[in-house]
Structure formats: C-alpha cells, structure tokens
Amino acid sequence: MAREADVIGALVGLADSLVADYDPLELLQQLVDDCMRLLDVSAVGLLLAGHSHYSRRGGQGGRLQVAAASSEQMRTLEVIQLHGDQGPCLEAFDSGERVVAGDPAEIERCWADFAADVSAAGFRSVAAVPLRLREQRIGALGLFSDRDHVPEGDDIAVAQAFADIATITILHQQAVHDSAQVSAQLQRALDSRVLIEQAKGVIATQLGVSITDAFSILRDHARTRGAKLTQVAGAVVAGELTAQHLHTRPARSDSRRSR
C-alpha cells in the first residue's frame, strides 16, 4: 500500500505540471527521478523529439535528443544509442509500443551494435516505453537494469503511466497555443539543456564535486528559490552566481542504487 501511495503521489505531481508556466525539462527530469525512486531499475534515460512528429524516419520534421537522465553514465549511453541509430528507446519511439529485452543475449539479438555499450555500462536488461498520445509520439523512456530482469507487470504499467502523463502535459499546450508555438517551446527546452550542461561543469569545477552532484546542487538552488532551472544555470554560466552561493544540501551519490 505504501508503494501505491507513492505512485499516486508521483502521478499527481506530474499532473500538477499542467499549468501555464511549467518547465518541460523539469517535468521530464521529475519523470526520470520518479522512475528511479519507485521502479525496480538501475538507470533511466529519456529522449525527446525536437519537434512533434509521427516517426523518426518519416512524417513531420525533428530529431531525438537526450532530455533527461538519472546519471551522466546514462546520458552518455543514450547519446551512443542516438549516434548508432539503434536501441530500445529508438525502437519504442518508432513503433509506439513497449520494448523489452530481458538478458544480454536478447539485447544482442535486438541491437547487435548497441549491445556492447550496454554491457560495458554494466546493464544486463532493458525496457522502453514511448511518450505518445494515440498516433502522436514525442519521445521515449528507457529503463535499464544491472540484473537479468526487465520491468514488467506493475512496473512497466507505472512507467507507461508516467510517460503518458508527461506526454499529455506537453501536448496540452496545443489546446492553448498553436502547433508552431509548442514545437518552439520543446526546441527551446532542448536548447537550454546545453546551458544546464555548461552550468554543471562550472559548479563541478568550482566546488570539486561530480557532475551528478553539481546538477543536484543546481536543481536544489532553483527549487528552494522558486526559480527556473534554466535561469539559475544561465546566471552561473554568466558569472552572476557563483557555485559557492548555491543551495548546497547533501546531494545524492552518483552510483546506482543497490537492491
């Protein structure tokens, strides 16, 4: 019952993002964090299309980019997946269906080139669910485990529910603004990712902490002051805000959770 209450609370939190001035990047990072906290997984990554479209290889324009990840290792693996043009997230995005591979042999059969990178990162099973509403797809959520196991049953249903809520939240803007404005908003969110990566590097250098801990410090500062993550990142990169002045409660470790 406690887990059910946590899942409901997470769904409510995502739904609360249906406001006029929400931050898409913060929403997607929260989705990743909720999956790490509530599902039996070791790492999570999320890919988002720069412009809404129906298929990566056809339909309207745009390309997939890394929008959120549970660690720098996971971010790197998602980039490798994109550069190699194969992997569970790409397949889930293209098909609009859930994708699972429960052990290294199955990963090898599905994505021969990507399998070595998955193994090198210490993962033995993967699953992915699309961010989609009916025929429209805007991204995919990847779930990685260091055991011969894939999220299934309740876990995969919860992951899909999280992805669906995030998709509805983002596409809800189409009911208020025209499609061009929504596409521009999503593209700005992806562009601002670069600014956040720069700020993480500045904080890590100034404080002598890991990139993952630097992101936690940056995010905590934004949250405690009710500021947007991109605004704080911009101030750090511009030198208007030094790392020493950021909110610095203890950050989470960069290592994956033990089970």
Side-chain angles (χ1 to χ4, degrees), residues 216-230:
S216 295
I217 291 169
L218 180 72
R219 193 177 181 197
D220 286 347
H221 184 89
R223 284 181 166 179
T224 56
R225 285 156 180 78
K228 286 189 175 182
L229 188 61
T230 50

Side-chain angles (χ1 to χ4, degrees), residues 28-104:
L28 297 175
Q29 187 64 49
Q30 186 61 53
L31 186 157
V32 166
D33 292 347
D34 286 340
C35 286
M36 284 294 293
R37 181 168 57 89
L38 297 171
L39 306 183
D40 187 14
V41 295
S42 304
V44 181
L46 191 148
L47 302 181
L48 183 70
H51 300 276
S52 58
H53 60 263
Y54 296 104
S55 171
R56 182 166 52 97
R57 298 187 177 91
Q60 301 169 14
R63 64 189 181 91
L64 289 170
Q65 299 177 53
V66 182
S70 59
S71 68
E72 290 305 307
Q73 179 193 46
M74 188 67 248
R75 184 178 301 281
T76 299
L77 190 60
E78 291 285 42
V79 170
I80 291 171
Q81 183 177 185
L82 288 171
H83 286 176
D85 198 35
Q86 67 169 227
C89 290
L90 301 185
E91 187 171 327
F93 179 77
D94 276 347
S95 67
E97 302 293 337
R98 300 170 187 176
V99 174
V100 296
D103 56 53

Side-chain angles (χ1 to χ4, degrees), residues 161-202:
F162 286 164
D164 289 347
I165 290 289
T167 303
I168 292 168
T169 300
I170 291 171
L171 294 181
H172 169 75
Q173 297 303 303
Q174 289 185 341
V176 181
H177 305 293
D178 62 41
S179 180
Q181 288 175 309
V182 175
S183 293
Q185 182 188 45
L186 293 181
Q187 190 59 54
R188 284 196 301 272
L190 289 170
D191 292 343
S192 67
R193 188 80 239 179
V194 175
L195 190 64
I196 292 172
E197 294 302 311
Q198 292 174 337
K200 285 159 56 178
V202 171

Side-chain angles (χ1 to χ4, degrees), residues 204-256:
T205 299
Q206 291 183 1
L207 297 182
V209 299
S210 71
I211 292 294
T212 298
D213 287 348
F215 179 65
S216 295
I217 291 169
L218 180 72
R219 193 177 181 197
D220 286 347
H221 184 89
R223 284 181 166 179
T224 56
R225 285 156 180 78
K228 286 189 175 182
L229 188 61
T230 50
Q231 292 174 333
V232 177
V236 170
V237 172
E240 299 168 358
L241 183 64
T242 65
Q244 287 76 11
H245 292 108
L246 295 177
H247 178 68
T248 56
R249 71 170 176 80
R252 292 177 57 186
S253 170
D254 194 30
S255 60
R256 297 195 306 274

